[in-house]
Amino acid sequence: MAAKKPEEMSNEELLKNEIIFKTVIYILLIFAVILLAAGIWLTIVKKQFSALTVIPISLGIIVMVNANTLKTLQKEKKSRGL
């Protein structure tokens, strides 16, 4: 099933997706910060590189993609006057 474009969504779907994307962005940011802190701590304590320091970078990329989608949803919401 292909994802709908914001122009094709109803007002309710648009508002629901905006809430979902905001929640996902916040959760991913929280996990990225926790994993970055754990990776840095493990690198310092064990004096060896930890793979946990790479995972927050990939989460950051996912956050940026979701943030762009959120901006598109907010732009459509504004154009509809919601």
Side-chain angles (χ1 to χ4, degrees):
M1 181 174 151
K4 286 185 178 180
K5 295 181 181 179
E7 299 85 23
E8 300 171 352
M9 292 181 188
S10 67
N11 291 343
E12 293 81 20
E13 287 176 318
L14 194 64
L15 294 172
K16 181 180 175 185
N17 282 336
E18 182 184 16
I19 292 170
I20 290 170
F21 274 100
K22 282 183 181 179
T23 305
V24 167
I25 289 170
Y26 290 134
I27 290 171
L28 286 174
L29 283 174
I30 290 169
F31 281 129
V33 169
I34 291 170
L35 286 172
L36 184 63
I40 291 171
W41 183 77
L42 285 172
T43 302
I44 292 171
V45 169
K46 295 196 176 200
K47 295 179 180 28
Q48 190 176 17
F49 179 74
S50 173
L52 285 178
T53 55
V54 178
I55 295 172
I57 296 169
S58 61
L59 288 178
I61 294 169
I62 296 170
V63 166
M64 287 190 297
V65 170
N66 285 333
N68 288 335
T69 305
L70 180 62
K71 285 181 186 177
T72 306
L73 291 174
Q74 290 173 338
K75 185 177 178 182
E76 180 63 27
K77 185 177 125 180
K78 187 177 182 180
S79 70
R80 293 184 189 185
L82 297 176

